[in-house]
Amino acid sequence: MPHLSQDAFAGVLEAAWAHGQRVREETGVVVELRLTTIGLTALVADGPCDVTATVSWQDLAGSDDLLGLLCARITDVARQRADAQRPARMAA
């Protein structure tokens, strides 16, 4: 993120939002992005907020692939929520 203009950063956030929409279509999990005092947090928005992933401001500032980093966190949160919603398999 070093040298990104406001417009470029907004473009990255927009692309991350679009990735979140694709993840929602694929998994049924709604993931929300929130800018907070500790960084950017991806969280489940359609249920209990027990699955989150935060990228610190330091990690955001030092990232050479900001979009890849955000997309990975969005996918991680959706996958964890989807896994948690699956019924547990009974041991044989």
Side-chain angles (χ1 to χ4, degrees):
M1 182 170 127
H3 312 303
L4 279 183
S5 68
Q6 282 183 316
D7 287 340
F9 184 60
V12 167
L13 291 177
E14 185 175 10
W17 174 84
H19 176 73
Q21 296 307 303
R22 285 190 301 276
V23 166
R24 178 183 184 180
E25 290 171 8
E26 293 169 6
T27 66
V29 177
V30 179
V31 178
E32 182 177 296
L33 294 175
R34 290 187 186 173
L35 291 171
T36 67
T37 56
I38 59 172
L40 191 129
T41 300
L43 56 103
V44 173
D46 62 345
C49 186
D50 57 351
V51 180
T52 65
T54 299
V55 180
S56 71
W57 287 112
Q58 182 177 2
D59 290 344
L60 288 169
S63 176
D64 291 331
D65 183 12
L66 185 57
L67 180 57
L69 182 63
L70 298 178
C71 289
R73 294 304 158 262
I74 291 167
T75 301
D76 290 347
V77 167
R79 188 174 297 126
Q80 288 177 40
R81 166 55 74 192
D83 288 349
Q85 290 177 334
R86 282 194 196 110
R89 292 184 182 204
M90 299 296 285

